[in-house]
Amino acid sequence: MVGSIMDNYLATNLRYLRKQNKITQEYLSSLFGVVPSAIGGWETAYREPNLKTIIKFADIYKVSLDDLIRKD
């Protein structure tokens, strides 16, 4: 279980950015080579993506790492 506030911000931002970009969890799962439920786990802070995955999310959404993991 994930325990830090940053992880909750990350999860919220991942979900928000996916919806803003009209991308499905299924599509993202194909990009990352994971099952769709892994994307859902990252978006709910049930699981924490590794740094390489977080960097890939930032690249996909064209945002900085700061923007991805911070609240504001």
Side-chain angles (χ1 to χ4, degrees), residues 2 4-29 32 34-50 53-54 57 60-61 68:
V2 177
S4 77
I5 292 172
M6 182 206 67
D7 298 323
N8 290 326
Y9 294 147
L10 173 62
T12 299
N13 289 340
L14 290 176
R15 186 173 47 251
Y16 172 80
L17 288 165
R18 180 178 58 78
K19 290 181 179 187
Q20 283 295 109
N21 286 278
K22 297 181 172 116
I23 297 174
T24 65
Q25 288 182 347
E26 290 77 15
Y27 177 73
L28 282 176
S29 69
F32 287 97
V34 298
V35 295
S37 62
I39 304 296
W42 296 333
E43 290 183 354
T44 59
Y46 181 73
R47 294 186 179 265
E48 182 179 298
N50 62 34
T53 300
I54 294 170
F57 270 118
I60 289 168
Y61 295 133
L68 195 57

